[in-house]
Amino acid sequence: MSGSVPLGEALKFWAKLGFISFGGPAGQIAVLHQELVEKRRWISERRFLHALNYCMLLPGPEAQQLVTYIGWLMHRTWGGILAGALFVLPSLFILIGLSWVYLTYGHVPWIAAIFFGIKPAVTAIVLHAAIRIGKRTIHNLALKLIALCSFLAIFILNLSFPIIVLIAAVIGYWGGKRYPDYFQHTSHDSEQVKNHLPAIIDDHTPAPAHARFLYKRSLLHGAIAFACWLIPIAALIGLFGWKTLYPNIAWFFTKAAFLTFGGAYAVLPYVYQGAVDQFHWLSANQMIDGLALGETTPGPLIMVVAFVGYLAGHIQHLIGNSNPFWFGALGAVVATWFTFLPSFFFILVGGPLVESTHGKLGFTAPLTAISAAVVGVIANLGLFFAYHVFFPLGIGGSISWISIAICGLASVALIKFQKGVITVLGSCALAGLALYFAAHLIG
């Protein structure tokens, strides 16, 4: 299997993906599906969804874990590590740079103009992803009801995502035993891919040798992951002391990594409480600005941790240091390392177990129900974005008709003309800049 796509070709794609993966997890999963399932045929629809469902069960950013999983499946351990790292590194470097600009030069108008154009596009991408994924995963009334109930549970009852996942899994497990026809893949999936060539990792492609579960290999990977956690945190303690900034960042984001069920929005309250209220690394307004940067830069939205880490290091060393940039950059790197390390562990240790369950209804039925529930959650996220973009001052304030128009045009480009995500985002960013310069010329 690993010889079918050369490692070099795969790494070029993963590196490119790191720069175009806008739109949060929904948009990123949509890009992955379009590129890997529809265009390149590296993996089949069914295997893609099987891996995606597992990643959605884990704490951590599911899109980054899915990239790691597919990279591991194709090119062994190093393939997974490199794929996952290349997905994160561009956003880390971009956020370090933007964080420096943010603290050094304040609010740059032309950057704000780009963000103004991109935010409606992100809204359109998320809503489009809900439609696309829904068409591929919801193929009967039972799954439609699960998706609807999931949407209502989070929209009206504000039920947490982990609870929704747990309830959906229980329904899927029960339904798989009582009504198996409703919780298994149907010919709908086959019809979706009839017009495609067979995938390199197809529905019935056997798992390669490295994807088979072995206790010794799992223990080895676990030991390596623990060493990758212990050695850096021991070095930080040795260099700076136990109760200083950087060991605190490392320990805080280690805990955060295990609480990110449901993606970045599920862990943001925890990060906010710790970074703003407990440690006072940054202010509440700075945290909101960091979230805006995270939403409009490539990579996982949880990369807002790099912004938090940078501001913590930069601000603490601002007095008495002529160049606090490197202290901020160290804070960003430490926050990112300890946030994402568990994700690699979950994939490299849990991946073989998941491959062994491929095609087994007892395992796939709960995941099928979870997929349906996630469609409802993504739809809610799209409406959440729409509310904040279309009503920037709240429901009682003025409506941003320009944002609505940009979102509508982006939706038409995505749905009717099937334009790529990066094309839509680039066009909307240019539209934001054009509006900014036009306003200045008129003024």
Side-chain angles (χ1 to χ4, degrees):
M1 185 186 301
S2 60
S4 300
V5 178
L7 179 60
E9 180 184 341
L11 292 181
K12 286 180 183 177
F13 171 74
W14 301 130
K16 171 190 171 185
L17 183 69
F19 286 97
I20 67 171
S21 55
F22 291 88
Q28 292 154 5
I29 291 167
V31 171
L32 279 170
H33 185 278
Q34 186 179 42
E35 290 285 341
L36 300 184
V37 177
E38 296 177 5
K39 290 184 178 180
R40 300 171 187 264
R41 299 300 294 151
W42 285 2
I43 189 169
S44 71
E45 175 98 17
R46 193 171 298 179
R47 296 290 282 269
F48 180 89
L49 290 176
H50 187 71
L52 173 60
N53 290 335
Y54 169 63
C55 294
M56 285 179 170
L57 284 173
L58 299 173
E62 55 266 35
Q64 186 266 347
Q65 289 168 339
L66 181 60
V67 166
T68 306
Y69 190 105
I70 296 173
W72 162 77
L73 195 57
M74 296 178 64
H75 295 107
R76 307 175 68 88
T77 300
W78 275 109
I81 292 172
L82 291 172
L86 287 172
F87 186 71
V88 170
L89 285 175
S91 57
L92 172 61
F93 293 134
I94 291 170
L95 276 171
I96 287 175
L98 289 177
S99 300
W100 176 77
V101 170
Y102 174 83
L103 285 180
T104 307
Y105 297 104
H107 298 286
V108 180
W110 65 267
I111 292 180
I114 291 176
F115 288 171
F116 180 82
I118 286 178
K119 285 181 180 180
V122 169
T123 302
I125 288 168
V126 172
L127 292 172
H128 181 235
I131 295 171
R132 285 170 59 88
I133 296 174
K135 285 181 177 178
R136 286 172 167 81
T137 58
I138 300 175
H139 47 77
N140 59 55
L141 181 59
L143 297 180
K144 288 178 182 178
L145 287 173
I146 291 173
L148 177 61
C149 291
S150 168
F151 173 81
L152 294 176
I154 196 168
F155 183 76
I156 297 177
L157 303 177
N158 199 28
L159 204 63
S160 67
F161 185 79
I163 294 176
I164 292 174
V165 168
L166 180 61
I167 293 173
V170 171
I171 292 173
Y173 181 78
W174 173 81
K177 291 183 176 295
R178 290 291 301 271
Y179 307 101
D181 290 344
Y182 287 97
F183 293 90
Q184 61 186 355
H185 292 285
T186 67
S187 59
H188 175 83
D189 286 334
S190 301
E191 290 168 5
Q192 290 288 342
V193 296
K194 270 184 180 177
N195 296 327
H196 295 297
L197 295 172
I200 293 171
I201 305 174
D202 220 336
D203 288 351
H204 304 293
T205 302
H210 70 272
R212 295 168 191 159
F213 179 75
L214 294 173
Y215 284 105
K216 288 184 178 179
R217 184 161 51 204
S218 297
L219 289 173
L220 176 63
H221 286 159
I224 292 173
F226 181 70
C228 289
W229 177 85
L230 183 62
I231 293 172
I233 201 168
L236 291 172
I237 293 170
L239 286 171
F240 301 102
W242 170 244
K243 293 187 177 181
T244 57
L245 174 66
Y246 298 108
N248 279 336
I249 291 176
W251 180 239
F252 175 73
F253 285 109
T254 296
K255 292 185 290 182
F258 288 94
L259 296 175
T260 52
F261 288 99
Y265 282 103
V267 79
L268 280 176
Y270 175 78
V271 174
Y272 177 93
Q273 185 180 36
V276 177
D277 296 335
Q278 181 182 353
F279 293 107
H280 308 291
W281 290 334
L282 67 170
S283 69
N285 285 331
Q286 288 172 330
M287 185 70 191
I288 295 170
D289 291 338
L291 178 58
L293 287 175
E295 286 177 344
T296 50
T297 50
L301 180 57
I302 196 60
M303 281 303 297
V304 69
V305 302
F307 177 85
V308 173
Y310 181 91
L311 261 65
H314 185 114
I315 292 172
Q316 185 170 103
H317 294 89
L318 192 60
I319 300 173
N321 290 280
S322 57
N323 187 4
F325 169 81
W326 295 110
F327 295 100
L330 177 59
V333 170
V334 170
T336 303
W337 177 271
F338 287 95
T339 298
F340 283 90
L341 181 62
S343 293
F344 290 96
F345 167 75
F346 290 136
I347 297 302
L348 296 179
V349 173
L353 289 172
V354 175
E355 283 300 301
S356 68
T357 63
H358 175 64
K360 295 181 180 179
L361 186 61
F363 186 84
T364 59
L367 296 184
T368 299
I370 290 170
S371 288
V374 166
V375 172
V377 173
I378 293 174
N380 175 74
L381 179 62
L383 290 181
F384 174 85
F385 279 166
Y387 170 76
H388 286 277
V389 172
F390 301 160
F391 300 91
L393 300 178
I395 198 69
S398 60
I399 301 174
S400 177
W401 294 106
I402 295 176
S403 296
I404 293 175
I406 293 174
C407 182
L409 292 172
S411 298
V412 170
L414 288 165
I415 297 171
K416 185 175 181 179
F417 297 103
Q418 298 183 348
K419 295 296 182 181
V421 171
I422 190 62
T423 302
V424 172
L425 284 167
S427 301
C428 292
L430 290 175
L433 273 177
L435 289 168
Y436 167 73
F437 288 119
H440 272 66
L441 287 174
I442 294 173

